[in-house]
Amino acid sequence: MKLKSNTPLKNDLFLRAAKGEKVERVPVWLMRQAGRILPQYRALRNSLSGFKELVETPELACEVTLQPIDELEVDAAIIFSDILVIPEAMGLPYEMVEKRGPHFPKTIQTLEDVNALKIAEANDIAYTIEAIKLTKKELNGRVPLIGFAGAPWTIFAYMIEGGGSKTFSKAKGQLYKDPNLSHQLLEKITQSTIVYLKGQIEAGADLVQVFDSWAGILSPTQYAAFALPYIQKICDAIDEVPVTVFAKGAYFARPAVGELNCSVVGVDWNMDIKETRQIIPHKTLQGNLDPCQLYAPLSEVKKATQTMLEQFGGQKHIANLGHGVYPDTPLDSVKCFVDTVKEYSFS
Ligand code: CP3
């Protein structure tokens, strides 16, 4: 039995822009819109044992996914989860340490460690699949729902490093030290990610985004060898819904990312808008205001947002920040960003 909701979308601007169709105005949402910028998120979060309880309880994940839709009236929802659920489903559990971030008690060191990992099944992450079904129902067609996963290289980086890092030097070093182990691990992550994303789509995700948050720390040669081929496999495996690829910081890889079998390419604030449009003329671009711009006075936020919109040109653009919104960003600035996009008319 298919539980997928077939409710038609009342606001499909985001999906139409993703597919490169003409839109009346530029759609807008924010990476990390569900989270600590919202007082209602902080209140719920503080009443729980921790981050994982929120991720692993579908009713709660659904509730925080909807919060920014109600509060900010953005044009898309993104399911509340984390990219680190994939390593856990493969057999490498993570902890989310308060105020410090993710930590893996055990990391991948040897080929035996890689061999001991399983290819994840969507059922291993049943809580997010359930959360998507529930959220689709609760959204009742208000806006599309985005599913997501980390790109294989970024997931690899956490599995080798064991947590966040300024340099990810262990993970990068592993690529040079043992390319064979690296490719085997990347392949297993890729297979798991494809299964997981297909599960999210089956449950109702209208588009899926692949986050390669640590793309920018690789050299162009490493990126071509260890990152792009695996993202390509994911893009080639998914034809049910549009795919967004966000290779953060990898300005050098734009020509290749532009050739991937995806509909949308994420742009960060390091990437010049007009230059990026020239390099990637045929796809929808998503981004790219510097999240730190939101610390400026509201009049400046508004001006910078308008300049960004003008540079993207109004079509084949999904407005967003160049990376996730920082938790201490004033809510009024976030609202100013969203409202400026929604009110802007191209002359
Ligand atoms: O609104 C949304 O974007 C949906 C949810 C979402 C979260 N994480 C929730 C979260 C998404 C899409 C992610 C993706 C994610 N997680 C990425 C890729 C995007 C990016 O930011 O580059 C990465 C690298 C992670 C790994 C991760 N999760 C880190 C490094 C941290 C700690 C840093 C931090 O922001 O505190 C997390 C925790 C996390 N994931 C939080 C949230 C709301 C904060 C946890 C809390 O409430 O305490």
Side-chain angles (χ1 to χ4, degrees):
M1 185 184 64
K2 263 200 165 175
L3 285 169
K4 193 166 169 171
S5 151
N6 288 319
T7 315
L9 288 167
K10 295 177 189 94
N11 171 355
D12 64 351
L13 276 175
F14 168 78
L15 270 190
R16 279 195 281 135
K19 292 176 188 160
E21 295 169 14
K22 206 165 182 309
V23 286
E24 308 79 74
R25 72 161 169 84
V26 174
V28 57
W29 71 283
L30 290 98
M31 291 181 277
R32 297 283 180 110
Q33 64 191 13
R36 291 162 294 182
I37 51 163
L38 298 176
Q40 51 274 58
Y41 172 89
R42 293 196 297 268
L44 177 60
R45 174 73 173 72
N46 287 337
S47 72
L48 303 173
S49 61
F51 176 73
K52 287 184 92 172
E53 186 181 353
L54 195 46
V55 168
E56 293 168 10
T57 312
E59 293 73 19
L60 299 178
C62 169
E63 185 178 336
V64 292
T65 301
L66 298 176
Q67 285 171 351
I69 310 307
D70 293 332
E71 182 75 35
L72 306 171
E73 301 193 64
V74 281
D75 296 306
I78 179 162
I79 192 64
F80 191 84
S81 187
D82 203 86
I83 63 168
L84 302 176
V85 299
I86 276 284
E88 182 155 285
M90 294 173 72
L92 206 69
Y94 73 98
E95 297 163 356
M96 197 58 81
V97 186
E98 288 301 322
K99 299 199 163 54
R100 294 204 48 204
H103 171 68
F104 287 85
K106 195 178 159 307
T107 58
I108 299 299
Q109 303 295 333
T110 65
L111 209 49
E112 287 72 54
D113 294 339
V114 177
N115 291 335
L117 295 169
K118 63 174 279 194
I119 309 267
E121 292 159 40
N123 235 0
D124 296 322
I125 316 173
Y127 45 85
T128 298
I129 301 296
E130 276 312 309
I132 290 176
K133 289 180 187 165
L134 203 57
T135 306
K136 276 299 279 185
K137 208 168 122 221
E138 292 293 321
L139 274 171
N140 194 25
R142 276 173 77 187
V143 290
L145 180 62
I146 303 170
F148 71 91
W153 152 247
T154 287
I155 296 299
F156 173 101
Y158 283 104
M159 291 173 87
I160 301 282
E161 202 82 30
S165 161
K166 283 209 173 94
T167 56
F168 280 95
S169 53
K170 286 198 194 83
K172 275 180 76 177
Q174 187 65 255
L175 301 178
Y176 289 115
K177 206 166 69 185
D178 197 339
N180 175 47
L181 178 154
S182 300
H183 280 299
Q184 292 205 30
L185 178 52
L186 287 161
E187 182 61 38
K188 261 190 159 159
I189 297 168
T190 302
Q191 294 310 322
S192 301
T193 304
I194 290 171
V195 172
Y196 178 44
L197 288 175
K198 284 190 177 281
Q200 294 186 46
I201 294 163
E202 178 67 27
D206 297 293
L207 173 150
V208 290
Q209 175 156 335
V210 179
F211 287 90
D212 208 356
S213 303
W214 299 110
I217 63 173
L218 294 181
S219 71
T221 312
Q222 282 187 316
Y223 202 69
F226 295 103
L228 270 170
Y230 297 101
I231 299 181
Q232 179 150 17
K233 279 194 189 188
I234 295 171
C235 291
D236 289 346
I238 290 173
D239 53 11
E240 301 89 336
V241 298
V243 178
T244 297
V245 173
F246 180 37
K248 165 105 190 15
Y251 58 89
F252 52 82
R254 281 176 293 176
V257 172
E259 291 301 316
L260 289 168
N261 196 2
C262 67
S263 301
V264 185
V265 172
V267 183
D268 68 42
W269 64 88
N270 286 139
M271 302 175 185
D272 180 79
I273 296 170
K274 291 193 170 156
E275 185 189 67
T276 306
R277 184 65 92 192
Q278 268 170 11
I279 299 173
I280 309 176
H282 303 302
K283 292 195 196 301
T284 295
L285 301 177
Q286 175 173 278
N288 81 334
L289 198 76
D290 184 348
C292 292
Q293 177 74 67
L294 300 188
Y295 295 125
L298 293 184
S299 57
E300 294 295 321
V301 172
K302 189 168 176 178
K303 253 199 288 185
T305 305
Q306 290 172 335
T307 304
M308 173 197 77
L309 289 167
E310 208 50 57
Q311 289 185 342
F312 276 106
Q315 297 295 334
K316 290 197 176 147
H317 178 215
I318 295 166
N320 206 309
L321 302 177
H323 198 191
V325 60
Y326 297 125
D328 62 347
T329 308
L331 196 50
D332 280 348
S333 304
V334 177
K335 288 183 174 171
C336 175
F337 172 71
V338 172
D339 293 343
T340 302
V341 177
K342 293 175 81 171
E343 286 158 14
Y344 195 73
S345 69
F346 287 81
S347 45

